Amino acid sequence: MSDQSADAPTEQKSSRSILDSILETALHEMNRERSGLLLSGLSAGLDIGFGPLMMAVVLTLSPASFGDLTTELLLASVYSIGFMFVILGRSELFTEHTTLAVIPVLDGQASLRDLGRLWGLVYVGNLVGGLFFTLLVILLMPELGVVTPAAFETIALKLVSHDLPWLFVGGVFAGWLMGLLAWLITAAQETTSRLILVWVVAGTIGLLHLPHSIAGNVEVLFGLFMSPAITLTDYVGFLVLATIGNAFGGSIFVALLKYGHVVRGAN
């Protein structure tokens, strides 16, 4: 006799169970050793760099550029590769924790000091990992033969050529989407579902060219090191405003609203 339970549909998680899972995960991360958080953040910063690298490869090998629909869709798809490595690999990404780590604070189970500790360690690890990745690619690039400095410059200019208010507002939307992704990943039951979610959400950020502080850190660093068109001021301005926008978007539009509607009786 066949096992009928194997064919039964997986029961969808309730909003309360999603919130409980997030609380459990976030509290576990907050209680980790500093070195563990820092190394996990470093790993995420390294892994996410493969997305910007593959974007540069596509721009180098493609006869078209930004503005061509096929190229834009392909760029958005390869941009999501780094997020797949990080999120499915369970490394710590700052923009996920703009939602995940805020919820225990809202629930009274963690303090702002705990939040600042987690954010600080993960963020520093992400940035240092991105820097290491960038330097490694620059060393390898002459032998790779599939990517040019011009491609890195084009990608970086897409992020730094906007005015400052746009960087903040765009960062809010990127943080909003990343916070939503963190919630949806917790709700998803299977690896395949999670993979699709990462591809859709990260691909949306890539297609809209929204400023993601961690992936964008690598994108702009490539431009800073390889093109005179990108200055240190461009890099710092991008990083500061994208980071603030990401934190605001994930904290307000996802953590606060999702937590608020669940504790008020959502099923």
Side-chain angles (χ1 to χ4, degrees), residues 51-131:
L53 173 60
M54 288 304 300
M55 289 175 68
V57 171
V58 168
L59 279 179
T60 299
L61 301 179
S62 174
S65 186
F66 287 118
D68 175 73
L69 178 59
T70 302
T71 303
E72 289 275 9
L73 291 174
L74 183 56
L75 287 169
S77 294
V78 298
Y79 176 78
S80 68
I81 289 174
F83 290 89
M84 294 177 186
F85 291 163
V86 171
I87 295 173
L88 298 184
R90 303 289 185 172
S91 298
E92 303 302 326
L93 192 64
F94 168 73
T95 47
E96 277 193 289
H97 280 295
T98 57
T99 290
L100 296 181
V102 171
I103 287 180
V105 177
L106 295 174
D107 201 54
Q109 298 189 50
S111 66
L112 288 174
R113 182 177 180 179
D114 296 328
L115 176 62
R117 173 184 177 273
L118 177 61
W119 273 6
L121 290 170
V122 171
Y123 185 70
V124 169
N126 288 169
L127 294 188
V128 173
L131 175 61

